[in-house]
Amino acid sequence: MIFRNPARDLPVGDIKGIPKSIPSDLLMGLLDQATTPLGRLVVALSAVHALPGKEIRTLHTTDLDLSRGTLEVRRGLLRHAIYLEELTHQLAADWTTYRHQRWPTSSNPHLLVSQKSAVDPDHPAVSIGTLSGALPRGLTLSGLRQDRVLNEAAESADPLKLMRLFGITEQTAMRYVTAAHPERTSKLPR
């Protein structure tokens, strides 16, 4: 009889892991490395506003209000308003101009479209692969998002600010504050 360990595939320790920052040499000139209007907008939405890929791909054209400088993110029944700073506002305007020039008859309600999804009568959202392919080599959407939230947690160490700014839960906010400031949170009860 050979012993087989029934727990060999179970994860050990923290399942979610500790958020990690991206080395600064990879972030240097990030927008310049993104060569398309789609890529530059995706970089801004994930690296500046920390939107996850799932939310980026499901944004609708009606969610973007350039006159007010806002972008409304749908999270189930909830809505999270993002106030666009000058850079993201300009990138969003560039993308909408490019989209209209490239596919003037597209009726796809999604803000971000690809060559295939723009003319598809079923109006699908752009794929995660298309969004990831628009990023510079070596970077991921989740990595850019984690880096942004971790950077903000290192600056403020205020979980409430993280919750308001990025629309994340209290557990997630505390996870980032703990990762950014382990010396401050080591004595908190678990």
Side-chain angles (χ1 to χ4, degrees), residues 10 13 24 33 36 39 46 84 95 114 117 136 146 158:
L10 293 177
S24 59
Q33 295 173 27
T36 63
S46 60
L84 304 176
W95 166 251
S114 66
S117 67
Q146 279 186 8
D158 183 6

Side-chain angles (χ1 to χ4, degrees), residues 178 181-190:
T178 301
H181 301 283
E183 71 284 353
R184 292 184 187 178
T185 56
S186 63
K187 293 186 171 82
L188 291 176
R190 305 245 179 226

Side-chain angles (χ1 to χ4, degrees), residues 90-106:
Q90 184 59 50
L91 293 173
D94 292 346
W95 166 251
T96 55
T97 302
Y98 175 81
R99 178 191 160 143
H100 181 68
Q101 289 172 348
R102 180 89 191 261
W103 304 287
T105 59
S106 176

